[in-house]
Amino acid sequence: MARFLFPRWANKVVPLGLLFGVLPLGAAVVGGFWYYGTNKHIEVGYQPEQPVDYSHKLHAGDLGIDCRYCHNTVEVSAFAAVPPTETCMNCHAKVRRDSEKLLLVQESWANDEPIPWVRVHNLPDYAYFDHSAHLAAGVGCVSCHGRVDQMPKVRQVAPLSMGWCLDCHRNPGPHLRNPADVTKMDMAPSTAVMAAGVPASPEPYQDRVPAVTTSGRQVQAPLHCSGCHR
């Protein structure tokens, strides 16, 4: 019986497989970890340049504009909407119309194209977070986003890590207030809670004593996996 011989081109299968299969896959994995593991996604202090020099200190702080005027879905949706150009033009169609800082805003309005804002707070896709649920429970914006009313340029002030979230879920009391006051940045935690019976150490979910806000709402944040991973 004649010996079976592989064709000469078979010698290229392994190198080509490495070149077009293993290497691209490895590069994708490394690139993914590199991108999502860099400072701009997990470290406190990330402060990207925005296309428009918008100052939260001026608008939310000095002028006292409520967060919900621009982020108008935050009470009814999982996401806090990025304000469309129309929201900006509600004021700036009349206010400081000749300012060079508003040039991109005016172009966006004229061309009906969105302003390419850069996202500051970015949770991984496998983590479920609902803004409306947290606001309804009385968690203030400042607990996660810091004193935005004092930031000329918004930056990340919390790690947004799993451990950081669980620390709050185990003891939510200090972060709770009347839901009507969630956007008040200068509200002291000591005046926000009437009673907080949740122990600081992890306890079985059903055995914990819920925190009670000044509005009388009981809050017992989930500690099980399905609370954030669905």
Side-chain angles (χ1 to χ4, degrees):
M1 181 180 293
R3 296 176 57 190
F4 175 79
L5 298 177
F6 287 98
R8 187 178 297 275
W9 58 262
N11 295 329
K12 299 180 180 179
V13 171
V14 173
L16 289 176
L18 290 174
L19 180 62
F20 294 104
V22 177
L23 290 181
L25 178 61
V29 172
V30 172
F33 277 105
W34 185 276
Y35 181 75
Y36 287 104
T38 52
N39 294 352
K40 78 173 189 176
H41 285 299
I42 64 172
E43 279 197 4
V44 172
Y46 176 51
Q47 190 177 53
E49 292 292 333
Q50 298 291 351
V52 177
D53 186 18
Y54 179 89
S55 172
H56 277 76
K57 181 181 184 300
L58 171 62
H59 292 80
D62 299 343
L63 298 178
I65 298 176
D66 192 283
C67 307
R68 292 165 291 195
Y69 178 75
C70 296
H71 305 287
N72 56 7
T73 65
V74 71
E75 292 182 300
V76 296
S77 170
F79 300 97
V82 176
T85 305
E86 287 84 345
T87 301
C88 305
M89 294 302 291
N90 284 342
C91 294
H92 288 295
K94 299 292 184 181
V95 177
R96 298 183 63 85
R97 296 174 55 184
D98 298 328
S99 173
E100 292 183 359
K101 294 183 178 181
L102 292 173
L103 182 60
L104 184 59
V105 177
Q106 294 165 346
E107 290 178 353
S108 169
W109 173 257
N111 299 328
D112 194 23
E113 295 181 353
I115 299 172
W117 299 107
V118 180
R119 187 170 184 171
V120 178
H121 303 86
N122 188 24
L123 289 176
D125 291 340
Y126 54 78
Y128 175 78
F129 179 86
D130 190 326
H131 276 85
S132 63
H134 286 77
L135 265 66
V139 179
C141 303
V142 68
S143 292
C144 299
H145 297 289
R147 292 298 302 272
V148 176
D149 60 320
Q150 297 179 353
M151 298 181 188
K153 185 186 299 181
V154 171
R155 66 183 182 278
Q156 183 174 325
V157 299
L160 307 182
S161 63
M162 179 176 174
W164 179 80
C165 293
L166 282 174
D167 284 342
C168 181
H169 277 218
R170 290 167 182 149
N171 184 26
H175 301 282
L176 302 182
R177 59 188 68 189
N178 190 313
D181 298 326
V182 291
T183 61
K184 292 183 179 180
M185 296 287 175
D186 57 351
M187 189 172 181
S190 59
T191 65
V193 180
M194 179 177 66
V198 183
S201 59
E203 295 290 341
Y205 178 72
Q206 65 272 17
D207 295 337
R208 292 183 301 151
V209 179
V212 182
T213 68
T214 53
S215 64
R217 171 155 186 164
Q218 293 187 354
V219 177
Q220 194 170 47
L223 294 177
H224 48 77
C225 302
S226 61
C228 301
H229 304 291
R230 302 182 178 182

